[in-house]
Amino acid sequence: MADTFGPLNATTDLATLLKVQNYKDLHGKAVSDIVQSIHNDASIFKSGATCPFISSSLSTQTLTTQPTSQSLEIRQVDIALIEKGLPHFRAITENYFYTRLPETFNWNEVAARLGQEWAGDWYIVAFRSVRNDRADAKALYEADGLAHKEALESGGLLKYWYGSLNERRQCLAMCVWSSRDFAKLATKKPYHRLASSLASEMYESYTLERWSLTKRAGETVFHLNQL
């Protein structure tokens, strides 16, 4: 079947990341109002700033988005990365299937847009695949779409990117997560398992890569290390 679906470069929007539809802070303020307050108050992006909606008795650096399951936390640096850096994320080579991840994307431009004041670390999963020539592309993309939506609802997914198939049916897909624990939680979800179960019939071969992404305060570059 012809591959009629285009590439994807999806940054998770802030409202989704903060669970607008499900959560309120301890003072009962709707998260949709919280998101608006972040847009209205530029000081939220100053290093060490406290989110205005977090009680002073809580951590000044984190916002819990899964308090009843894994106590996983979205950090202020994650919010800043989504707002300031990841919207500008892009591939800088068309030969991304054969290119190492550090040389595939404009990491340092994203780091520069994030700003010198921010420091953080993130977890990346990359999927390099060779599509079977008999694969049902529509079924594959539908399963992928369900898994993507599920990952957003699970929490912690900051960026999902995948490219177009090349002439050899090779492709690269990649996720940036707030942490490895968020990624592990998503792998236990049913639609992720469904998408994974299709791998043997949809792909001739595939490999998974895991990377750490780190930025130090005072720098405008990212450091990527394969795990």
Side-chain angles (χ1 to χ4, degrees):
M1 179 178 179
D3 187 24
T4 58
F5 299 86
L8 179 70
N9 187 359
T11 301
T12 303
D13 66 272
L14 188 56
T16 299
L17 188 72
L18 296 181
K19 303 290 187 179
V20 170
Q21 71 276 22
N22 293 324
Y23 292 99
K24 294 177 180 290
D25 78 338
L26 293 180
H27 303 289
K29 188 176 183 182
V31 180
S32 55
D33 296 331
I34 292 169
V35 172
Q36 189 59 49
S37 72
I38 291 173
H39 285 286
N40 292 341
D41 183 6
S43 68
I44 192 64
F45 293 117
K46 293 180 180 178
S47 179
T50 302
C51 289
F53 49 87
I54 299 180
S55 167
S56 60
S57 63
L58 299 177
S59 165
T60 61
Q61 294 298 316
T62 56
L63 172 65
T64 300
T65 61
Q66 295 285 349
T68 60
S69 57
Q70 300 293 323
S71 296
L72 300 179
E73 296 172 328
I74 293 299
R75 305 159 297 176
Q76 285 184 257
V77 69
D78 297 327
I79 295 172
L81 183 61
I82 277 184
E83 289 282 85
K84 301 174 72 174
L86 287 178
H88 306 279
F89 182 85
R90 58 185 173 83
I92 56 176
T93 176
E94 295 182 357
N95 196 27
Y96 38 74
F97 180 81
Y98 293 103
T99 307
R100 293 179 72 252
L101 218 61
E103 289 80 45
T104 299
F105 300 100
N106 63 329
W107 298 107
N108 290 340
E109 178 187 346
V110 173
R113 289 181 178 274
L114 180 57
Q116 292 186 10
E117 66 271 27
W118 288 102
D121 57 272
W122 298 268
Y123 180 67
I124 298 173
V125 179
F127 181 74
R128 299 182 192 269
S129 62
V130 181
R131 181 88 58 83
N132 190 307
D133 61 0
R134 298 179 301 278
D136 185 337
K138 184 174 185 296
L140 186 63
Y141 277 98
E142 286 176 350
D144 184 79
L146 290 170
H148 181 202
K149 181 175 183 295
E150 183 180 64
L152 293 173
E153 294 171 351
S154 179
L157 178 63
L158 307 183
K159 165 69 74 173
Y160 181 38
W161 182 97
Y162 64 75
S164 300
L165 291 182
N166 64 18
E167 66 280 2
R168 298 177 180 175
R169 305 187 308 280
Q170 298 165 322
C171 194
L172 171 68
M174 185 209 63
C175 295
V176 179
W177 294 87
S178 171
S179 70
R180 187 169 193 162
D181 286 339
F182 269 118
K184 288 173 65 177
L185 183 63
T187 64
K188 300 176 182 178
K189 303 294 182 178
Y191 285 125
H192 177 88
R193 292 182 175 181
L194 172 63
S196 297
S197 71
L198 296 176
S200 60
E201 70 175 280
M202 295 292 187
Y203 300 107
E204 291 182 2
S205 63
Y206 61 89
T207 58
L208 280 175
E209 298 174 7
R210 297 168 178 86
W211 295 74
S212 65
L213 177 69
T214 304
K215 184 183 176 300
R216 305 184 185 108
E219 295 185 347
T220 56
V221 297
F222 280 125
H223 304 276
L224 285 89
N225 292 290
Q226 191 163 4
L227 302 175

